[in-house]
């Protein structure tokens, strides 16, 4: 019955793990909205919102039912504005579970009409995190096996210009 799913995150930058999750969802839902958080509540992002959105748009350019948009403020307000009822999150390992479980529980208390669904990535992407990708890149390491090639290029350019 559900057509649309919202996949929110920081995507700083988008990795092959994020890509795997969104593509799996695109085979189940008719529309996947990759929602790039403007103010993630974390520290200053490495790529600004526009850069993160553009990178994800390029990565999903060939997947017709995946759209990338930025959002700010409360995720659930965005979900409502989109007319959606399902939020998608990725689970990598047990370490993600506690936080994701709390988040889903709080969201359910506040917005009982919205469900959170979880997908796990292919095992080769299980260990990838955007924060480690940034760290390795900044230290001059090769992250090409963890991110789409255009993201690896963009990381190199950004680091050179810093
Ligand atoms: P992070 O900064 O932790 O990499 P985001 O805030 O961008 O992640 O994450 C958006 C969602 O994607 C979260 O549900 C997160 O658990 C999930 N995710 C992140 N990396 C992966 C991965 N390698 N495999 C599966 N899910 C992932």
């Amino acid at each position: 019955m559900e057509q649309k799913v919202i996949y929110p995150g920081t995507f700083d930058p988008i990795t092959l793990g994020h890509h795997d999750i969104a593509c799996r969802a695109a085979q189940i839902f008719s529309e996947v909205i990759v929602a790039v958080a403007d103010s993630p509540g974390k520290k200053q992002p490495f790529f600004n919102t526009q850069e993160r959105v553009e990178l994800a748009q390029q990565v999903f350019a060939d997947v017709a039912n995946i759209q990338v948009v930025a959002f700010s403020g409360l995720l659930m307000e965005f979900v409502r504005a989109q007319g959606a009822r399902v939020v998608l999150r990725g689970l990598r390992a047990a370490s993600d579970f506690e936080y994701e479980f709390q988040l889903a529980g709080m969201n359910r208390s506040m917005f009982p009409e919205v469900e959170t669904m979880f997908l796990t990535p292919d095992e080769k992407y299980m260990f990838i995190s955007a924060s480690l990708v940034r760290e390795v890149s900044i230290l001059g390491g090769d992250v090409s096996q963890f991110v789409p090639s255009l993201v690896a290029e963009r990381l190199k350019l950004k680091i050179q210009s810093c």
Side-chain angles (χ1 to χ4, degrees):
M1 278 158 61
E2 263 332 298
Q3 311 251 302
K4 192 189 255 194
V5 68
I6 310 292
Y7 179 33
T10 318
F11 304 105
D12 188 26
I14 186 153
T15 69
L16 290 175
H18 296 131
H19 179 263
D20 183 272
I21 296 290
C23 290
R24 283 173 198 282
Q27 290 172 1
I28 302 169
F29 292 90
S30 56
E31 200 178 349
V32 178
I33 309 287
V34 173
V36 178
D38 191 14
S39 49
K42 299 182 183 173
K43 58 182 173 51
Q44 181 78 5
F46 186 70
F47 287 107
N48 68 35
T49 308
Q50 196 188 337
E51 291 172 320
R52 285 179 280 134
V53 167
E54 279 170 10
L55 278 175
Q57 279 172 340
Q58 287 167 26
V59 166
F60 294 120
D62 59 347
V63 190
N65 62 335
I66 300 183
Q67 283 181 56
V68 182
V69 293
F71 77 98
S72 54
L74 208 53
L75 168 66
M76 289 296 155
E77 299 297 351
F78 174 77
V79 171
R80 271 190 185 154
Q82 287 283 325
R85 290 197 321 151
V86 185
V87 169
L88 172 68
R89 298 286 288 173
L91 278 183
R92 280 163 285 196
S95 53
D96 278 341
F97 182 79
E98 196 175 340
Y99 174 72
E100 293 293 339
F101 194 74
Q102 283 177 341
L103 191 64
M106 283 187 60
N107 281 334
R108 175 175 285 164
S109 305
M110 295 185 289
F111 305 92
E113 72 282 11
V114 176
E115 292 292 348
T116 304
M117 289 183 64
F118 298 96
L119 287 174
T120 53
D122 187 291
E123 61 186 26
K124 59 181 180 289
Y125 304 131
M126 278 277 182
F127 55 87
I128 301 175
S129 86
S131 54
L132 281 177
V133 162
R134 294 194 303 273
E135 209 172 311
V136 170
S137 283
I138 289 167
L139 296 172
D142 176 13
V143 293
S144 55
Q145 57 178 313
F146 309 129
V147 294
S149 49
L150 66 95
V151 174
E153 284 305 313
R154 193 70 181 68
L155 271 163
K156 267 191 212 155
L157 289 175
K158 177 99 175 170
I159 287 159
Q160 279 165 9
S161 71
C162 282

